Structures are given as structure tokens and as C-alpha cells.
Amino acid sequence: MSQNNIPVSEVYWSLVDKADKKFSKIRDLPYYERNRYDTYFYKVFKVYTQLWKFQQENRQKLVEAGLKRWEIGDIASRIGQLYFGQYIRTSEASYLSESYIFYEAVLSREYFKEGVFQDLNLANKQLRFLARFLMVCLVLNRREMVYQLVNQLKMLVDECKRTFQETDFKEWKLVIQEIVKFLKADSAFMNIRPLRYNFVLDLHPDFIPHVANPKRELRLRAAILSSYYPNEVKFSELTLDTFRMLQCLEWEPTGSFYQSSGAPSSGMGTNTGQNGAPGPNRINYSQDITDPTLPPNPRKAVLYRPSITSFIAVLATICEELPPDGVLFIYLSASGTMSSPSRAGTCLGNPENIITSFQSHTIYSDEASTSPFSSPCDSPNPSAQSKWNCSRYHTGCLHIGARGSGGVNCVYPCDLIPFTRRPLFLVIDSDSSKAFKAISGAEKGEPAAMLLSPSSSSLIPAAVDSSRHPSGSLFTIFLTAPLQAFCLLLGFSGSDIEMDIYNKAEKLLSSSFNDWGSTLATSATLDPAWAQVLSDPFLRRLLLRFLFCRAVLTLYAPTFNKTEFLPECVPCLPEAVLPMTASSQTAILQIASVFGATNSFIFSERIMLPETRNADVESISSS
């Protein structure tokens, strides 16, 4: 029988079956080893393009054959899910915006509405759709739609409980509790300005001062983000801390900062989206917010409660894919423990543990290395060998999963040593962060740059106390939303601050960042580990915000000169940007003065506001 004689419904369901199989295959792929799976992504979108086009051209016949509206919506929803999954794998903003377009079209056309309270499976499909769309809107920072979806999710769960009384919807109640708690912590005040790098508010990369005669200039190409605390604020597998850091390492698409909501969709049409996938008829939202001149976002792997073996597998694979000019950024936020000598000996930095677990994984190595996973204890440097003798050296670890399972959920400093053959930029936010200073001097070829959080936050206001995490870690807030962190430290909330005052402080802080950036770029004592990354916009911004955080906590009266409350960086930065310099103190004094909070800090007697100093000079001159 020729293909023309095959019933339309049979062709359609054959395509559906083919699409389902390819969808399942790409859905189950890991979020790392991304370069290997580009062809899979192309193939799955090709079949969905065929499926969507076929159902459009034969809609009436298919409806007569029994096609339901929810089945059309299911295809569009899966395309949105595929786009979001590809965004997670690549960090490309266009995939994120395309995902929003498809999900928004499904919502506006109410594909799942008909029969939702007669069919439990269809009700669950609608609930899953709303939860996935919530995640997309959250990451895209479209808060109006987030609140709309939360309300719809609440009403749907309540109605489902009444309709399907024999079914337990406890899990969906927990989902609602999670997102409500998340939104309460990530308030409007925390989003006064975008967390993403914005050309309107952040220094344009073309104007970043260059370091004189750097050995090389590296770029942030990949990042691993992982955060875990018991009972921390999260939605699905995205914790509040990783959510903020994820945005901090992306470009703000041009125009989206100024749009409160996207244009409404007019339904699913014949337009073609990225990679040939079908797109709905709409005002082209993707083009409206995407600037083709923006560089690609650094690729990111967000890991929620990974086992240490999984963490190292991802780390090794990303190191393999890192380009020659690339820096790998590692962000770990977790509680820590100072280990006993016996426990320190069980870390995966031990070469036997690593090689046994990961014989299939390799990373770039220098010629002097005998194995990509040679032990830190094999270092030719006698002092490093002594330092990293894991059976004797007291070190600390981070718990990236539940405690009580030995070293399975612990990251030790020695676990990262084999990967210092590539340039690493580490941000460790933990009460055991200082243990990672031991990496310095034990690297396998590249100096690691590290920003380490304070080891204590007991004197920090409860609203930002990292041990309770109602608003996330203060150190992470300083790195992602520094002025908001300053206000939270002083006990201010959004309702306490007028926007004119906030904007004045924002300008002062921006000026201080520019001054510190110029000082670092022109310093003759800037360590090469910092010099090679200072021209990267993301890493430079994090470093300057660290300087602000360190200066604030050094001068803040309750933590004044108490080392356990102060962050550290390794290697050391030039003395010209230390907290007690006149320029650093003046910068903090100016910002504190805007908020009327100078009494909350301890400044040297000679430090005065510039306008006060000028008035004193004029007074002396006239006398």
C-alpha cells in the first residue's frame, strides 16, 4: 500500500510514537558531556517539526479521527520542555525564551482545560505543565507570570482534591509550599535590578581596563554550581543560592529589563522556531529581547545533592570540554566539617579511590603528569606532599548531601587538586571554606583563584544568617546583589528604602567598583592568577563585589576585625584594595551615609566624607 493510501491518523500516531521515543532518549541524557549530544537535539527537533507541521496541515481530519485538544497541547508542552532542557545544557538564552513562548501558548489556548476534572491523568499532566512553566518563568525572571501560575496551581490542586477525593495530592501541596517560600525569600527588593550582567547598569566589556602585559587573558567558559543545606529554600532542584549565582553568570538580554511582561500569544501557528522547531504565531518575543552582539553565556551545570562520584564525573567531563582560553568556575555552598585525620584519608583525592571510580573519565594534563588523576600526595614539591598526605593532614569538607553517609556526600579540598591542571576560579561559601586555602601551592599546573566566605555568621542578623537560610547566604548575596546584601546586613528591607536613596547608593557603589577595578588593573603586584581573569566581565564583577563584601564586614561594628566573620581570597590581592585603606573606607562611609548608617561602622579618625573634607579645606583657606 502506498504512503498516500495510509490513513492520516495512522501516519500521525506513527510520528507521535517516533517523537516519544526520541523525547525519552534526550530527556534522560546527562546535563554534562553536552558536545556529544548536539546531534540528538537536532534529531528530536526534526521529528517534532514534522509532527507539528503534519497535525497543522491535517487538523480537521485528525480531530474527526478522535484527536483531543490536550494531545495538541502535550506536543507543544514537550517542545517547551525540550527547549528548557537545552537551555540547561547550553545556557543559551534563546532556548529559554523559546521555551517560554511555547509554554505561554499552551496556557493561553487552555489546551489542558477540557476534561481536566474528569480524568486524573489529564489533571496530573496539567499540574506538571504548570510546575515546569513556573520554573521557566522563574529563571527568565518574569515574576508577573510566576504569580499568575502559582495562583492557578493553588486553585487546580484545591479543585483536584475535591474532585478526586480518593487521590492524595500531598506532593503538589509541597510544591506550592516550596514556590511560595521561594518567592517570599527572593522578594521584589532582591530583584530591584537584574542579577544578570546588564550593559545599562554594569561596565560594558569594551571599557574594562586591561591588565598591563598579562601572561594571558582567560574567559569564563563553564561553571559548576552546587548548593545544599537541610531545609534550605529551593524550588524543585534549584536552590536559592544556585538560582542567584546562575543568573549572575549570564548576560541580561537586551530589552527584557524594561519589559514587565511579554506580548500575549495568538495561538499556535506555522512559524518556525530555532533549529527548525515549530513556533507559535506571536510578536517575536525572542528577537525582542535577544541582542545578537551578546557573547554566549558560560555553560553551567547546576547539581542538586550530587554524590561525590557524580560531582567528580561532571567536573572531569567539563574539564575535558573546556577550551584552551577557558576558566572553569566552581561554586559550592554547603555546611562543613573539620575532619579527623582518619576521615581525611577517605577523601576521593586519594588516587586509588578516583581511578577506581572514574577510569572512563580524563582531563587535560601537562606533560609532567603521569596520570590525569595522579594523587596530590605525589607532588614533587616536598612541602605540598606533606601538606596533602591525606592520611595525616587535618582538613575540612563540605556536605553536598545528607550527613551520616561517610564521604559519599562530602567534597574535600584534595578532591579538586587533580583538576588544577586547568584554570579554576572557586567560590566556597561554607563555615569550612578556609580549609580550601590548602589547595594553594598544591596545584597541578595552574594557580587556582579562590573567594572564601566567612567561617561564621553568628553576629549577622537572622534574616540573612546562613545557618537558617530564610533569605540565602549573605556571602552569596554580596556576590550577586551587593547593595541588597548591604541593606540586609543593616536590617533594612525594601519597604524601608526610597528608590531615590537606593539609586544614589547604587551610583556610589558603581563608582567604587570602577576605582577598584582600575587599581587592580594597574597594580604591579597583582598575582597572575587574578591578572589572567580580570578582563572577563563576570569574574571581574565577582572579584570587585568580593572587595566590597570584605570591606563592609571588616568595618561593620559587630564584626570589626574579627577574622571568623571576614571573607578571604587566595592568592592575596594588592594592598591598595585592602579594607583599611583610605579609599576603601571612604567608599563604605559614603554608601553608609546615604542610608544614615555611619554609626554601624568603625572608621579611622582621618576618614571623612568628600564633601565634609572639602568644606574643611575651604574653611581653613578662608581663615
Side-chain angles (χ1 to χ4, degrees):
M1 181 182 293
S2 65
Q3 184 172 352
N4 292 336
N5 293 327
I6 300 176
V8 168
S9 60
E10 289 188 21
V11 176
Y12 174 77
W13 289 113
S14 175
L15 283 172
V16 169
D17 183 62
K18 183 179 179 181
D20 283 346
K21 289 178 180 178
K22 291 189 177 296
F23 177 86
S24 298
K25 190 171 185 179
I26 196 170
R27 180 187 58 190
D28 296 334
L29 293 176
Y31 287 138
Y32 53 98
E33 294 187 273
R34 290 156 293 205
N35 292 342
R36 292 179 54 190
Y37 298 122
D38 288 344
T39 55
Y40 289 98
F41 183 68
Y42 172 78
K43 289 177 180 179
V44 73
F45 266 89
K46 183 178 180 181
V47 70
Y48 270 99
T49 299
Q50 294 172 344
L51 176 60
W52 191 258
K53 183 178 180 181
F54 187 84
Q55 67 84 22
Q56 284 180 319
E57 293 173 348
N58 299 276
R59 175 73 62 85
Q60 187 59 39
K61 291 181 180 180
L62 290 171
V63 170
E64 292 172 358
L67 181 68
K68 303 291 192 298
R69 280 183 60 79
W70 71 262
E71 292 172 312
I72 301 172
D74 200 35
I75 298 171
S77 178
R78 283 197 168 186
I79 293 173
Q81 189 177 347
L82 287 168
Y83 269 128
F84 184 69
Q86 194 65 2
Y87 160 74
I88 292 295
R89 288 183 175 90
T90 66
S91 298
E92 291 185 21
S94 57
Y95 291 128
L96 184 60
S97 61
E98 289 287 352
S99 179
Y100 177 91
I101 289 165
F102 276 91
Y103 278 133
E104 194 274 339
V106 173
L107 183 73
S108 63
R109 293 295 299 256
E110 299 182 329
Y111 280 112
F112 294 118
K113 184 176 182 179
E114 184 178 340
V116 70
F117 297 122
Q118 285 76 48
D119 187 334
L120 180 59
N121 290 330
L122 186 55
N124 279 313
K125 192 178 290 290
Q126 171 77 329
L127 289 168
R128 287 192 295 270
F129 158 72
L130 291 174
R132 291 182 181 126
F133 193 15
L134 257 173
M135 178 64 76
V136 171
C137 294
L138 200 63
V139 175
L140 198 55
N141 204 24
R142 296 181 67 79
R143 289 307 174 99
E144 289 184 8
M145 182 60 80
V146 167
Y147 289 114
Q148 178 182 332
L149 292 170
V150 170
N151 289 332
Q152 288 198 29
L153 192 61
K154 287 179 181 178
M155 290 188 292
L156 183 58
V157 170
D158 289 340
E159 186 61 34
C160 284
K161 286 181 66 178
R162 288 190 292 269
T163 305
F164 306 104
Q165 296 181 6
E166 73 283 359
T167 306
D168 185 5
F169 287 90
K170 182 179 179 180
E171 290 186 3
W172 286 109
K173 282 290 187 181
L174 293 176
V175 170
I176 293 171
Q177 290 173 10
E178 269 196 358
I179 187 61
V180 169
K181 188 177 180 181
F182 193 102
L183 294 173
K184 183 179 180 181
D186 196 54
S187 62
F189 173 66
M190 293 303 301
N191 292 276
I192 289 178
R193 59 157 287 175
L195 271 62
R196 290 180 169 89
Y197 200 104
N198 188 291
F199 287 171
V200 176
L201 302 168
D202 298 299
L203 190 63
H204 194 285
D206 291 346
F207 300 112
I208 291 177
H210 286 275
V211 177
N213 302 317
K215 180 181 177 182
R216 57 183 174 174
E217 290 188 355
L218 301 180
R219 288 289 182 267
L220 175 61
R221 301 298 188 192
I224 295 176
L225 313 177
S226 188
S227 167
Y228 172 72
Y229 287 90
N231 303 316
E232 69 183 326
V233 177
K234 70 178 186 70
F235 180 60
S236 184
E237 296 186 349
L238 191 62
T239 70
L240 193 58
D241 288 340
T242 53
F243 170 70
R244 287 170 177 160
M245 191 57 69
L246 178 148
Q247 292 183 83
C248 186
L249 301 179
E250 292 191 350
W251 304 103
E252 179 74 11
T254 301
S256 65
F257 177 47
Y258 305 102
Q259 296 178 4
S260 60
S261 61
S265 171
S266 59
M268 308 298 284
T270 58
N271 290 359
T272 299
Q274 188 169 338
N275 289 298
N281 287 327
R282 81 273 184 183
I283 296 175
N284 197 326
Y285 173 75
S286 181
Q287 288 185 2
D288 286 344
I289 70 168
T290 302
D291 184 346
T293 66
L294 285 175
N297 287 324
R299 286 185 162 185
K300 295 174 288 296
V302 180
L303 307 179
Y304 178 68
R305 300 183 64 174
S307 67
I308 186 60
T309 51
S310 176
F311 174 79
I312 291 184
V314 174
L315 178 55
T317 305
I318 291 178
C319 279
E320 267 194 9
E321 297 178 344
L322 199 66
D325 68 340
V327 177
L328 173 58
F329 177 88
I330 300 176
Y331 168 81
L332 295 174
S333 177
S335 61
T337 299
M338 295 308 294
S339 307
S340 65
S342 59
R343 288 186 66 189
T346 66
C347 70
L348 278 174
N350 185 308
E352 295 178 2
N353 293 340
I354 292 178
I355 293 174
T356 300
S357 301
F358 300 108
Q359 289 179 343
S360 62
H361 293 279
T362 59
I363 59 173
Y364 289 112
S365 57
D366 48 39
E367 294 181 0
S369 303
T370 58
S371 166
F373 287 105
S374 57
S375 168
C377 305
D378 295 333
S379 170
N381 183 333
S383 62
Q385 180 174 348
S386 174
K387 178 189 296 184
W388 283 101
N389 187 328
C390 296
S391 64
R392 293 189 291 115
Y393 185 70
H394 289 257
T395 186
C397 68
L398 305 186
H399 297 275
I400 55 175
R403 295 173 182 255
S405 53
V408 174
N409 295 325
C410 299
V411 177
Y412 290 86
C414 56
D415 292 330
L416 303 181
I417 289 293
F419 305 98
T420 56
R421 291 177 174 83
R422 304 307 310 272
L424 301 184
F425 191 109
L426 307 178
V427 172
I428 309 296
D429 191 348
S430 171
D431 50 4
S432 291
S433 63
K434 302 304 189 292
F436 286 77
K437 292 166 64 176
I439 293 175
S440 180
E443 295 96 335
K444 286 293 186 177
E446 294 284 351
M450 290 178 274
L451 303 181
L452 309 174
S453 74
S455 57
S456 177
S457 58
S458 60
L459 295 182
I460 305 301
V464 287
D465 182 355
S466 62
S467 65
R468 289 186 284 276
H469 287 272
S471 298
S473 163
L474 180 68
F475 184 62
T476 295
I477 299 175
F478 262 109
L479 297 182
T480 57
L483 195 55
Q484 289 93 319
F486 183 86
C487 294
L488 290 174
L489 179 68
L490 297 174
F492 298 146
S493 65
S495 59
D496 300 326
I497 300 171
E498 296 179 5
M499 281 309 299
D500 288 345
I501 292 176
Y502 184 91
N503 290 335
K504 181 178 180 181
E506 184 79 51
K507 291 179 181 179
L508 288 170
L509 182 58
S510 179
S511 176
S512 297
F513 285 158
N514 291 337
D515 292 342
W516 281 327
S518 297
T519 299
L520 291 175
T522 57
S523 173
T525 60
L526 184 65
D527 191 279
W530 300 116
Q532 66 185 6
V533 301
L534 195 60
S535 59
D536 180 87
F538 297 111
L539 300 181
R540 177 184 184 272
R541 189 171 68 158
L542 285 171
L543 183 56
L544 297 180
R545 289 173 173 181
F546 168 84
L547 293 179
F548 176 63
C549 174
R550 185 175 66 173
V552 168
L553 293 178
T554 298
L555 300 170
Y556 184 52
T559 59
F560 184 75
N561 273 342
K562 296 177 181 177
T563 57
E564 67 270 27
F565 298 105
L566 306 182
E568 294 186 38
C569 60
V570 179
C572 294
L573 288 164
E575 293 184 1
V577 293
L578 287 176
M580 298 307 293
T581 60
S583 59
S584 294
Q585 290 195 63
T586 301
I588 306 306
L589 175 61
Q590 286 181 290
I591 296 172
S593 176
V594 170
F595 295 106
T598 56
N599 290 337
S600 297
F601 297 88
I602 299 175
F603 300 103
S604 301
E605 291 184 3
R606 67 182 186 279
I607 303 300
M608 294 184 293
L609 291 169
E611 54 266 28
T612 304
R613 187 185 303 114
N614 294 337
D616 289 346
V617 171
E618 292 176 3
S619 176
I620 294 172
S621 301
S622 61
S623 61

